[in-house]
Amino acid sequence: MGGISGSYAEGADAIVVSGGYRDDEDHGDWILYTGQGGNVGRRQVADQELTRGNLALALSEERGLPVRVIRGAGGDPKLSPTTGYRYDGLYVVVRHWQEASVDGPLIWRFVLEREGAPGSSIAAVADPSDASAQRRESTQQRIVRNSAVTQWVKDLYGGRCQFCGIVLETAAGAYSEGAHVRALGSPNDGPDTVDNVLCLCPNDHVLFDKGALYVADGKIVRSHDGFVLGELTVRAGHTVREEHFAYHREHFAGVRRGA
Amino acid sequence: MGGISGSYAEGADAIVVSGGYRDDEDHGDWILYTGQGGNVGRRQVADQELTRGNLALALSEERGLPVRVIRGAGGDPKLSPTTGYRYDGLYVVVRHWQEASVDGPLIWRFVLEREGAPGSSIAAVADPSDASAQRRESTQQRIVRNSAVTQWVKDLYGGRCQFCGIVLETAAGAYSEGAHVRALGSPNDGPDTVDNVLCLCPNDHVLFDKGALYVADGKIVRSHDGFVLGELTVRAGHTVREEHFAYHREHFAGVRRGA
């Protein structure tokens, strides 16, 4: 129940979805999965750590490695076998964060999407039978999207990073990325509106998305030691809503509510 | 013939493929397209600049905006209409570089891939009829891939950028990207081997891919002014082949052969 198979060095091989955690949600093409540890039976008594199976799943995300999903009879009756276990294909980990469980202690949460599912935020991993050898074994580590909303924010800052102030100059102009503070899509459901978007350089975008940096009281904070790196630059006409920063702190940087 | 419609501010709306440039290659699902300017009839007499239509195509790439492809009767007979012009769907610009034309002067080259083509390096842009509003109008600005080869290089450097030395620390370990020096896939056909891969931070990966930085004689050079930023860090057991750096300089950073 709730098993994660894998290692720190290799990422997660497989997860078992069988109703072991009451916070899990199985939507077929995507799964909201709870990490392991800190529980006594179904009760969460201590914070989960980003170690062992949880770290393996985070590594799978970082490396773009697919994870086998095994569904067991204890899961959603519409999606699960009536008895025993069934291999249900490859999924990719698209996101993870920490949040308070129903019982109080913190749990890690992972979103897995079926490879190539319609509307997936991740494209299908290249077909291994593809004749072009250079595409074999290739997986997607990271996708950056653009939209009219993110472009508006990037244009307002002229591509200057709101965290570190760098401008990546190329022959075609400044390169920057629009970072959603509260992540888009289920289950985070952040809005694609300018009050939820920052203009960041790729480095700070990665660190922010992975919760290594967060924003509190207009300051940019390093999560692991609370060190303040500087002030968030904000230009006239652009306000990022504090509730989105609060959501990011609590869900992606492991900061407890009210801390 | 060879027309690019669009603007610096908006990117390219459309290109016309009708055999105007003899260096063009139309493969149906992907097109190797030559930029505009510097020619008298079919003869290239001066270097093309990254301005006007050429800059618009580069912007379309940077923003992930699709480009309409119009095929005209002068193009490849198997792919083109017998008379007049035909709208042939949406393509995305996946790469651009500068190289010497058959006549000598430099030309800009763009690779466009049909949206959602099988084996495409770019996934289909989300279906606009997708009910989840946050995915509408979203385009792919950048995809980072990982493979056993890039992972080997990243592990050797412990995620430390070979250009700037930064390590992006996250709760799941260091985040870095494997950058191919000579780009993979047609028409650049770089190999997916460790002697063609660098471990870079996302910022330097973007700058290197876009030709804003290059490597010469073990030095990291800023393309627009030739300023030397530092030395390339190389660890024992890892040799990047000079011919790949030379290819990158000539094709992505606009450095003339032998310069």
Side-chain angles (χ1 to χ4, degrees):
Chain A
M1 299 230 300
I4 305 168
S5 152
S7 69
Y8 175 72
E10 304 287 333
D13 298 323
I15 61 168
V16 175
V17 180
S18 60
Y21 278 88
R22 59 186 167 184
D23 295 320
D24 283 358
E25 295 176 24
D26 191 346
H27 298 263
D29 275 353
W30 70 273
I31 299 165
L32 177 58
Y33 196 72
T34 305
Q36 62 187 198
N39 62 312
V40 175
R42 284 174 160 260
R43 193 172 150 74
Q44 199 68 32
V45 297
D47 291 349
Q48 291 183 345
E49 308 282 333
L50 195 62
T51 54
R52 299 166 49 237
N54 302 338
L55 185 56
L57 279 173
L59 263 191
S60 296
E61 177 185 343
E62 198 273 316
R63 299 183 171 194
L65 297 170
V67 177
R68 292 176 191 80
V69 166
I70 316 286
R71 285 194 169 83
D76 183 318
K78 292 190 300 296
L79 299 165
S80 308
T82 49
T83 58
Y85 293 90
R86 183 183 67 211
Y87 169 62
D88 264 356
L90 293 174
Y91 284 63
V92 281
V93 184
V94 297
R95 204 178 294 160
H96 70 274
W97 67 86
Q98 200 170 30
E99 67 182 30
S101 63
V102 175
D103 296 320
L106 297 177
I107 53 178
W108 284 98
R109 305 278 262 167
F110 300 87
V111 175
L112 292 94
E113 290 184 358
R114 191 194 299 276
E115 272 190 14
S120 169
S121 62
I122 297 282
V125 167
D127 182 350
S129 66
D130 185 331
S132 53
Q134 70 279 5
R135 284 188 179 145
R136 266 183 288 166
E137 297 180 52
S138 169
T139 55
Q140 290 180 353
Q141 189 186 5
R142 182 158 182 261
I143 295 184
V144 180
R145 292 171 188 283
N146 198 28
S147 69
V149 168
T150 58
Q151 192 62 48
W152 184 90
V153 176
K154 290 168 11 172
D155 286 344
L156 179 68
Y157 291 89
R160 184 176 297 278
C161 178
Q162 288 184 255
F163 279 12
C164 70
I166 201 171
V167 181
L168 298 186
E169 295 285 4
T170 79
Y175 178 92
S176 61
E177 296 176 356
H180 287 89
V181 178
R182 178 173 180 152
L184 295 182
S186 298
N188 305 107
D189 293 327
D192 191 20
T193 50
V194 299
D195 61 9
N196 188 37
V197 171
L198 297 170
C199 174
L200 297 181
C201 70
N203 283 4
D204 283 327
H205 191 182
V206 166
L207 292 172
F208 186 71
D209 276 1
K210 294 187 180 296
L213 299 177
Y214 64 83
V215 174
D217 297 326
K219 304 281 196 299
I220 302 146
V221 184
R222 196 163 63 193
S223 304
H224 78 89
D225 59 3
F227 185 80
V228 173
L229 296 167
E231 300 257 341
L232 180 72
T233 300
V234 182
R235 289 203 176 159
H238 185 218
T239 304
V240 179
R241 288 178 68 173
E242 167 55 25
E243 69 182 80
H244 299 319
F245 282 131
Y247 186 94
H248 175 270
R249 289 196 299 271
E250 289 162 22
H251 289 80
F252 288 87
V255 177
R256 283 172 198 275
R257 190 181 300 265
Chain B
M1 298 232 299
I4 306 169
S5 152
S7 69
Y8 175 71
E10 303 287 334
D13 297 324
I15 60 167
V16 175
V17 180
S18 60
Y21 278 89
R22 58 187 168 183
D23 297 321
D24 283 359
E25 294 176 23
D26 190 347
H27 299 263
D29 276 352
W30 69 273
I31 298 165
L32 178 58
Y33 195 72
T34 305
Q36 63 186 198
N39 62 313
V40 175
R42 283 174 162 261
R43 194 172 149 75
Q44 199 68 31
V45 297
D47 291 350
Q48 292 183 346
E49 309 282 333
L50 195 62
T51 54
R52 299 168 47 239
N54 303 339
L55 185 57
L57 278 174
L59 262 190
S60 295
E61 178 185 343
E62 198 274 315
R63 298 184 173 195
L65 296 170
V67 177
R68 291 174 191 81
V69 166
I70 317 286
R71 285 194 170 84
D76 184 318
K78 291 190 299 297
L79 300 164
S80 307
T82 50
T83 60
Y85 293 89
R86 184 182 66 208
Y87 169 62
D88 263 357
L90 294 175
Y91 284 63
V92 281
V93 184
V94 297
R95 205 178 295 160
H96 71 273
W97 66 87
Q98 200 171 27
E99 67 183 27
S101 62
V102 175
D103 295 320
L106 297 177
I107 53 178
W108 284 98
R109 306 277 263 166
F110 299 89
V111 175
L112 293 93
E113 290 185 357
R114 191 194 298 276
E115 272 190 13
S120 169
S121 62
I122 297 282
V125 167
D127 182 350
S129 66
D130 185 331
S132 53
Q134 70 277 6
R135 283 185 181 148
R136 266 183 288 166
E137 297 179 53
S138 169
T139 55
Q140 290 181 354
Q141 188 185 5
R142 185 158 180 262
I143 295 185
V144 179
R145 292 172 188 284
N146 198 28
S147 70
V149 168
T150 58
Q151 191 62 49
W152 185 90
V153 176
K154 292 171 4 174
D155 286 344
L156 180 68
Y157 291 90
R160 184 176 297 275
C161 178
Q162 289 185 254
F163 279 12
C164 71
I166 201 170
V167 181
L168 299 186
E169 296 284 5
T170 77
Y175 178 91
S176 60
E177 296 176 354
H180 287 88
V181 178
R182 177 173 180 152
L184 294 182
S186 296
N188 305 107
D189 294 326
D192 191 20
T193 49
V194 299
D195 61 8
N196 188 38
V197 171
L198 297 170
C199 174
L200 297 181
C201 72
N203 283 5
D204 283 326
H205 191 183
V206 165
L207 291 172
F208 186 72
D209 276 0
K210 294 185 180 297
L213 299 177
Y214 64 85
V215 173
D217 296 326
K219 305 281 195 299
I220 302 146
V221 184
R222 199 163 61 193
S223 304
H224 79 88
D225 59 1
F227 185 80
V228 173
L229 296 166
E231 301 257 342
L232 180 72
T233 301
V234 182
R235 290 204 175 159
H238 185 219
T239 304
V240 180
R241 288 178 68 172
E242 166 54 24
E243 69 182 80
H244 300 320
F245 283 132
Y247 185 95
H248 175 270
R249 288 196 299 273
E250 288 162 23
H251 289 80
F252 288 87
V255 177
R256 283 172 199 274
R257 190 181 301 265

